[in-house]
C-alpha cells in the first residue's frame, strides 16, 4: 500500500516568488492536513481538508493557501515568499478528520 | 500557555531501562491523544493513540491518559538505542478542533 507522497522533495526559491507543493494521500484517505516544521517552532498546523472542504485553518497569513481535489490529492500554495517561510512542509492523511495521521516525507523549502 | 507542552529534553536513559515521556495540554475538552516518533531527518510516525482515561499497552509502549489532570504520558519499557528519537505528543478535538503538536522530547538511549 503506497504511503503519503509529497512532491517535490526539495525546493529552492527566491524571495517574492510563489510555490506550489503537492500531496497524494494514502488511497482511501479523505482527510489531508498540512504542517510547517521548523527547528524553533516545531510542527505548526496550516490547514485541514476533508472531502474537498477546508475544515480548519491555522494561524498563518493569507499568503498560505491550499485546496483538495475530488481524488483527495491536495496542494498548498505560498505566495510572495519570505525568508522565514524556509521550512519542512509536511502533509498527513487519515481516513477521518482528526484521526491518527500518516505523514509524507515532506518538502524541504529553502527561500533565498 | 502553550496548547501542548512537553519537556524538550534530552532525556537520557540507559539501554534496558524504562523511558517516561510526559505531555500536558491546555484544552480541557480535548478528545484524542497521540504519540508520534520522529527520527532525525525523517517525518513523524504514529506509534500510539489513546482516547479514554487509563493505560493502553502496545508491545513495549504504554500510553497513559488522565483527563482530569490534562496529562498524557508514554512509557517505553526495555529501551533500545533504536528508540533514540524525538517523541511528539499531539492532541485533537476540543475548542480548536485541530491536531496540535507539542515541540517534542528528545530521547537518547545509551548503550
Amino acid at each position: 500500500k503506497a504511503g503519503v507522497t509529497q512532491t517535490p522533495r526539495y525546493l529552492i526559491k527566491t524571495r517574492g516568488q510563489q510555490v506550489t507543493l503537492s500531496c497524494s494521500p494514502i488511497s482511501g484517505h479523505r482527510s489531508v492536513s498540512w504542517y510547517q516544521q521548523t527547528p524553533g517552532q516545531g510542527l505548526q498546523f496550516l490547514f485541514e481538508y476533508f472531502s474537498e472542504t477546508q475544515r480548519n485553518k491555522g494561524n498563518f497569513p493569507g499568503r498560505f493557501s491550499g485546496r483538495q481535489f475530488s481524488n483527495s490529492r491536495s496542494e498548498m500554495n505560498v505566495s510572495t515568499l519570505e525568508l522565514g517561510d524556509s521550512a519542512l512542509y509536511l502533509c498527513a492523511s487519515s481516513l477521518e478528520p482528526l484521526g491518527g495521521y500518516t505523514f509524507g516525507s515532506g518538502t524541504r523549502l529553502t527561500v533565498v | 500557555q502553550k496548547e501542548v507542552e512537553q519537556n524538550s529534553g534530552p532525556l537520557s536513559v540507559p539501554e534496558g531501562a524504562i523511558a517516561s515521556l510526559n505531555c500536558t495540554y491546555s484544552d480541557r475538552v480535548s478528545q484524542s491523544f497521540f504519540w508520534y516518533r520522529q527520527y532525525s531527518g525523517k517525518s513523524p510516525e504514529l506509534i500510539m493513540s489513546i482516547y479514554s482515561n487509563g493505560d493502553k499497552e502496545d508491545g513495549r509502549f504504554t500510553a497513559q491518559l488522565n483527563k482530569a489532570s490534562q496529562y498524557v504520558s508514554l512509557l517505553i519499557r526495555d529501551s533500545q538505542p533504536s528508540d533514540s528519537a524525538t517523541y511528539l505528543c499531539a492532541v485533537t478535538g476540543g475548542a480548536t478542533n485541530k491536531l496540535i503538536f507539542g515541540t517534542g522530547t528528545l530521547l537518547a538511549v545509551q548503550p
Side-chain angles (χ1 to χ4, degrees), chain A residues 36 38 108:
Chain A
Q36 180 196 66
T38 57
R108 172 76 61 185

Side-chain angles (χ1 to χ4, degrees), chain A residues 35 37 43 45 55-57 90 98-101 103-105, chain B residues 34 36 38 43-44 46 88 92-93 96-99 101 103:
Chain A
Y35 288 83
Q37 188 172 36
L43 275 161
F45 173 76
R55 277 174 32 97
N56 235 319
K57 190 177 193 305
L90 289 162
L98 303 183
Y101 288 144
F103 280 85
S105 298
Chain B
F34 304 91
Y36 287 79
Q38 186 172 25
S43 56
L46 178 66
L88 300 161
T92 76
T96 64
N97 206 35
K98 303 171 187 175
L99 178 61
F101 282 82
T103 52

Side-chain angles (χ1 to χ4, degrees), chain A residues 4-66:
Chain A
V4 179
T5 303
Q6 290 188 247
T7 57
R9 288 295 307 277
Y10 302 94
L11 266 178
I12 299 176
K13 290 286 188 179
T14 304
R15 266 185 310 174
Q17 287 186 313
Q18 77 164 20
V19 67
T20 298
L21 311 182
S22 179
C23 172
S24 293
I26 290 173
S27 178
H29 284 193
R30 295 187 296 164
S31 177
V32 174
S33 291
W34 290 88
Y35 288 83
Q36 180 196 66
Q37 188 172 36
T38 57
Q41 297 295 318
L43 275 161
Q44 299 290 305
F45 173 76
L46 281 157
F47 355 81
E48 182 196 5
Y49 290 89
F50 182 75
S51 294
E52 300 180 67
T53 300
Q54 185 180 89
R55 277 174 32 97
N56 235 319
K57 190 177 193 305
N59 298 322
F60 280 81
R63 300 184 296 106
F64 291 80
S65 63

Side-chain angles (χ1 to χ4, degrees), chain B residues 3-78:
Chain B
E3 292 177 271
V4 180
E5 295 208 51
Q6 297 180 254
N7 187 319
S8 61
L11 172 66
S12 183
V13 301
E15 185 174 354
I18 296 175
S20 178
L21 303 158
N22 304 315
C23 171
T24 58
Y25 58 95
S26 61
D27 192 336
R28 184 166 289 278
V29 297
S30 294
Q31 298 160 0
S32 305
F33 307 86
F34 304 91
W35 283 99
Y36 287 79
R37 176 176 62 197
Q38 186 172 25
Y39 291 112
S40 180
K42 301 293 186 181
S43 56
E45 171 193 13
L46 178 66
I47 54 173
M48 289 288 285
S49 59
I50 187 166
Y51 305 98
S52 54
N53 280 329
D55 295 359
K56 179 181 177 183
E57 187 174 318
D58 183 1
R60 295 186 297 113
F61 299 98
T62 298
Q64 299 175 316
L65 175 60
N66 183 326
K67 289 188 178 181
S69 300
Q70 295 174 240
Y71 171 94
V72 59
S73 66
L74 179 71
L75 300 178
I76 306 175
R77 290 181 299 283
D78 188 24

